[in-house]
Amino acid sequence: MGKAQKAKAITALKEYVALGREEAIDLRELGTPPVDARIVSRWTAVAKEGLDKLEEAREALEEGEDSKFEDQYKEGIKLLYKSHRIANNHGPLICGEEEGRPT
């Protein structure tokens, strides 16, 4: 990977991780119905672990540790896909009500 590619990858990872962390905050602020608490907790824990791995990948890339970058990146993406599957397998979450119906 050349210098320009590394710089772009570092920027993209910073933005992606920041966005993921913001979404986690937004989800917490929405609150979780008790019936969904366990699955949401699992989903967000796996997502956090994935984002942490991507953060480690970015740091490795900045330090020129390309093989560590690759390993951390692959693990982070794998965990984020797992978190996505957890959420999708659960189905829609009830986050509020609109016209007296769950949304």
Side-chain angles (χ1 to χ4, degrees), residues 47-97:
K48 181 189 179 308
E49 190 178 350
L51 292 171
D52 289 347
K53 291 291 182 185
L54 290 183
E55 186 69 22
E56 291 173 22
R58 180 195 55 81
E59 291 169 358
L61 192 57
E62 287 177 331
E63 295 167 6
E65 299 176 28
D66 292 356
S67 64
K68 183 178 177 183
F69 160 75
E70 246 181 82
D71 293 342
Q72 297 299 325
Y73 180 81
K74 286 177 184 176
E75 184 63 23
I77 293 300
K78 183 176 157 183
L79 287 163
L80 290 174
Y81 277 121
K82 180 179 178 180
S83 113
H84 183 72
R85 282 191 313 273
I86 292 167
N88 278 345
N89 288 340
H90 178 63
L93 301 174
I94 298 170
C95 295
E97 287 188 14

Side-chain angles (χ1 to χ4, degrees), residues 5-66:
Q5 276 185 308
K6 281 186 180 185
K8 284 182 181 181
I10 288 167
T11 299
L13 283 169
K14 280 182 184 178
E15 291 173 1
Y16 187 83
V17 169
L19 179 61
R21 296 199 193 286
E22 286 174 25
E23 287 179 354
I25 290 168
D26 290 346
L27 184 61
R28 276 193 304 273
E29 288 176 355
L30 281 174
T32 303
V35 70
D36 294 323
R38 193 173 125 245
I39 196 77
V40 171
S41 178
R42 183 169 170 242
W43 163 28
T44 56
V46 173
K48 181 189 179 308
E49 190 178 350
L51 292 171
D52 289 347
K53 291 291 182 185
L54 290 183
E55 186 69 22
E56 291 173 22
R58 180 195 55 81
E59 291 169 358
L61 192 57
E62 287 177 331
E63 295 167 6
E65 299 176 28
D66 292 356

